[in-house]
Amino acid sequence: MDLKAVRTFVAVADAGQFQEAAAVLAVTQQAVSKRIAALERDLGVRLFTRTARGAEPTLDGQAFLPHARALLLAEERAAASVRPGRRALRVDVIGPRVAPAVLLRGFHEAHPGVELDVVTLFDADTAVAAVQAGRVDATFRAVGMPGRRLPERLASVRVLDEPLHLLTGPEHALADADSVTPAELAGHRIWMPSIVEGVEWAAYYASLAAEFGLTIDSAGPNFGSAAMLDRIAGSPELATFMGEHPRLARRDLRLIPLAGPTPVYPHSLIWDRANAHPALAALRAHLTGGAGAPRACGTWVPDWAAT
């Protein structure tokens, strides 16, 4: 159904005259007549009766009028749902307990009026494809991993270098250390069952292991973070890496800073250059305004990490 004709029908019904409706719509009276005639042909009924005073809806026209108004309202709501600033900004944060989620919570606190739709996609390829397809407005990922160049239409900026920590149980040999160098971890078993071949964090930890001669063990089923922490807490041999934003409230775990140098995980925001959502611009400005700037001195990142 031609919504332009439906709008014309409502205008005539409200005005009571074809000429006045034409003035409201800024078209000729002939155009109004043609639209109404086309709509009557589509519907197979007569919508108006000509009178000395103008035009009055027929019984069929009166029956159609509330539905015509509903069609126009639905059209307006559909347009408003994607109008810049009206649709919620959809952002992928990888997971609810990692640093990107903390960054996005900070943005929400600073901009409470911005509606957010937070999603968690698994790997960078899936997330980048979602940005390309317009299913999400932005994603936080490590950019530059070998063989994974961003498409030309996408842009990225590094917004946070997240320091890694060593997580151990109380019986681990390094449990009482104030800090540990990456070199001191050589010979220790770093257990990370969440690593999956092909994802960006697997590339990061492969580079880290190669740089400092580490043994990172991804064997075994991944039963989730709670099960992994239970095993770490009870083991004198196992340790794992953790970011600086963990939510730990357990006295049987030790979170030890890494230094000399400090390995950092490079989080970048990725978006489509053509995306005009105003909240996206606000998010980028918030993340690059100072607090989220990458750390450089005394840190290590893979040489493939994009700046």
Side-chain angles (χ1 to χ4, degrees), residues 92 94 120-136 138-151 154 196-203 265 270 304:
D92 162 47
I94 306 176
T120 54
L121 302 176
F122 180 68
D123 65 290
D125 289 344
T126 300
V128 167
V131 174
Q132 282 188 284
R135 293 190 296 271
V136 299
T139 181
F140 290 90
R141 297 288 159 175
V143 176
M145 62 180 289
R148 299 290 202 282
R149 288 189 60 185
L150 282 182
L154 302 189
V196 177
E197 188 66 31
V199 298
E200 67 268 32
W201 55 90
Y265 193 89
I270 304 172
W304 50 258

Side-chain angles (χ1 to χ4, degrees), residues 95-99 101-102 105 225-226 245-247:
R97 296 186 178 182
V98 296
V102 176
R105 284 199 298 270
S225 60
H245 294 291
R247 293 293 179 264

Side-chain angles (χ1 to χ4, degrees), residues 76-247:
E76 172 58 28
R77 288 175 174 171
S81 70
V82 294
R83 193 169 293 141
R86 297 293 297 274
R87 176 179 59 78
L89 185 71
R90 177 172 287 191
V91 183
D92 162 47
V93 295
I94 306 176
R97 296 186 178 182
V98 296
V102 176
L103 291 178
L104 197 60
R105 284 199 298 270
F107 171 73
H108 180 61
E109 291 170 1
H111 299 80
V114 174
E115 186 177 355
L116 293 174
D117 183 6
V118 182
V119 299
T120 54
L121 302 176
F122 180 68
D123 65 290
D125 289 344
T126 300
V128 167
V131 174
Q132 282 188 284
R135 293 190 296 271
V136 299
D137 293 297
T139 181
F140 290 90
R141 297 288 159 175
V143 176
M145 62 180 289
R148 299 290 202 282
R149 288 189 60 185
L150 282 182
E152 288 294 329
R153 63 180 290 181
L154 302 189
S156 71
V157 60
R158 205 151 105 209
V159 295
L160 176 67
D161 280 2
E162 181 186 14
L164 292 190
H165 292 68
L166 185 72
L167 186 72
T168 76
E171 302 302 319
H172 193 277
L174 300 173
D176 295 325
D178 293 327
S179 66
V180 177
T181 68
E184 289 175 323
L185 296 179
H188 290 278
R189 183 183 172 195
I190 309 299
W191 187 52
M192 303 192 72
S194 61
I195 291 180
V196 177
E197 188 66 31
V199 298
E200 67 268 32
W201 55 90
Y204 173 85
Y205 285 111
S207 296
L208 179 65
E211 179 72 17
F212 297 103
L214 307 184
T215 300
I216 297 181
D217 181 6
S218 60
N222 180 14
F223 291 113
S225 60
M228 183 184 75
L229 296 182
D230 285 341
R231 188 169 175 189
I232 293 290
S235 173
E237 298 177 352
L238 294 181
T240 193
F241 288 128
M242 188 75 67
E244 68 176 344
H245 294 291
R247 293 293 179 264

Side-chain angles (χ1 to χ4, degrees), residues 244-256:
E244 68 176 344
H245 294 291
R247 293 293 179 264
L248 300 174
R250 298 176 53 155
R251 297 181 179 179
D252 55 353
L253 291 171
R254 306 288 187 269
L255 194 63
I256 306 164

